[in-house]
Amino acid sequence: GCGKLTGVSHPVTVRASGSRFGSWMSDTVTPSADTRVWYMDGYYKGRRVLEFRSLADFVSGQNFVQHLLPHPWAGTGHVVFNGSLYYNKFQSNVAVRYHFRSRSVLVQRSLPGAGYNNTFPYSWGGFSDIDFMADESGLWAVYATNQNAGNIVLSKVDPHTLEVLRSWDTGYPKRSAGESFMICGVLYVTNSHLAGAKIYFAYHTNASSYEYTDIPFHNQYSHISMLDYNPRERVLYTWNNGHQVVYNVTLFHVINAPGDV
C-alpha cells in the first residue's frame, strides 16, 4: 500500500563508474523477474544507453547490450517505464518515448511551455530542465514554465501518447531544488544537490497542497545529479559524483486515512 515518506536509509554504493553526472535505473513497472539495469553516462548530447541483464552484471560491468538513441538526450531526468525509456530530447522541450524491444521511437511530443536548455534546471545545472519519473500511479514530468515564474510544474503524463493529463503548480522555485522524486502521488523535493541536503518540501497532488518537511538525506559523495524512486523495488536510485547509489525508503501507512492516494 501507499504511504507518506518518513525516512530514507543510509546510502548503499552499488558501483563507482562513469563521469560526475549521469543516470541509471531499472524498470519501474515490469515483473520482479525482469532485473535489467539501464545506464546513461553524462547529461549532454548523449545517445548511448547500456542495458545490463541484471544488477550483478551491472556491478561487474558485463553482459550488456547497447542502444543508440536516434535523438540525443538532455539532462539526467530519464525513466524506464514498462519497457520504454522516457527522456528529454536535446535542445527542445520534446518528450521522447523510446521502446527497447523494437529499438525505435514510438512517440515524441512537446511539453507545452516547458523551459529547456538550462532555462529552469535543478540547482546543479546540467540541462536538467525536464525530469521524468514514475510512482505507484503512473508516469510524471517535472519542469518549469515562464508563465509560472520558474516554479516547479508537476504533470501527470499518458505513457502511450505523452499527452499531459493534468498539471499542478507547486509554487517551489525549480532552480532552488536539488532534485525531486514521486512517491504515492506526492512530489518530494531536496533543497540542495550538495552535502547537507535534506528532503525539504512535499507537494500532495490529491489535495493540491504542500508542506515543508525535514527528512535527513545523507549525500555521501556531495554531488547528486539524478534521484528517482522505483515503486516496484521501493528504493531511490541516485547518481552521486560518479557513484551509483541506492537508498531504502520508509513509508508510514495509515489504513483508510483521509486523503489517502
Side-chain angles (χ1 to χ4, degrees):
C2 262
K4 184 177 180 177
L5 179 67
T6 57
V8 176
S9 73
H10 275 281
V12 176
T13 301
V14 176
R15 187 180 173 191
S17 66
S19 63
R20 193 176 189 189
F21 317 97
S23 188
W24 74 294
M25 66 215 87
S26 59
D27 200 314
T28 51
V29 176
T30 55
S32 55
D34 183 353
T35 60
R36 287 176 295 169
V37 171
W38 287 270
Y39 177 86
M40 300 165 70
D41 189 13
Y43 66 86
Y44 180 76
K45 290 171 63 173
R47 289 178 59 204
R48 196 170 75 120
V49 183
L50 302 186
E51 175 187 306
F52 291 86
R53 193 173 57 185
S54 66
L55 183 63
D57 287 335
F58 172 67
V59 171
S60 65
Q62 297 175 328
N63 294 322
F64 64 87
V65 295
Q66 178 175 289
H67 300 265
L68 202 60
L69 301 175
H71 311 295
W73 71 70
T76 58
H78 332 298
V79 69
V80 176
F81 182 92
N82 201 21
S84 291
L85 173 72
Y86 296 80
Y87 71 95
N88 176 208
K89 187 178 181 179
F90 180 62
Q91 287 189 320
S92 75
N93 61 11
V94 171
V96 178
R97 178 189 175 197
Y98 174 86
H99 188 241
F100 284 116
R101 196 170 64 234
S102 64
R103 292 179 174 260
S104 63
V105 169
L106 297 187
V107 63
Q108 47 183 321
R109 182 186 290 267
S110 177
L111 287 168
Y116 61 94
N117 240 19
N118 271 339
T119 305
F120 300 117
Y122 288 125
S123 60
W124 65 273
F127 297 85
S128 58
D129 303 70
I130 296 171
D131 190 1
F132 295 98
M133 53 190 73
D135 73 349
E136 290 76 3
S137 64
L139 183 68
W140 303 82
V142 160
Y143 51 95
T145 66
N146 283 317
Q147 288 82 356
N148 72 334
N151 291 328
I152 288 176
V153 173
L154 172 63
S155 291
K156 190 76 182 291
V157 177
D158 184 305
H160 301 290
T161 66
L162 294 178
E163 287 182 271
V164 171
L165 304 175
R166 185 178 171 189
S167 293
W168 292 259
D169 181 354
T170 66
Y172 195 97
K174 187 159 186 298
R175 282 178 164 275
S176 299
E179 270 285 345
S180 65
F181 55 93
M182 291 293 294
I183 299 180
C184 298
V186 179
L187 179 73
Y188 294 95
V189 181
T190 66
N191 62 345
S192 172
H193 61 284
L194 302 170
K198 62 182 178 180
I199 299 165
Y200 179 72
F201 179 88
Y203 188 88
H204 301 261
T205 57
N206 64 336
S208 297
S209 66
Y210 67 87
E211 62 176 316
Y212 289 97
T213 57
D214 189 6
I215 301 172
F217 180 72
H218 182 46
N219 184 346
Q220 185 173 3
Y221 302 108
S222 304
H223 199 290
I224 287 175
S225 59
M226 168 255 167
L227 177 60
D228 258 343
Y229 173 66
N230 186 305
R232 181 167 63 103
E233 302 172 357
R234 293 248 162 133
V235 299
L236 294 172
Y237 279 71
T238 306
W239 189 293
N240 194 340
N241 221 346
H243 299 79
Q244 292 75 51
V245 179
V246 293
Y247 298 80
N248 291 308
V249 300
T250 303
L251 303 180
F252 179 67
H253 183 54
V254 181
I255 298 172
N256 296 327
D260 244 14
V261 176

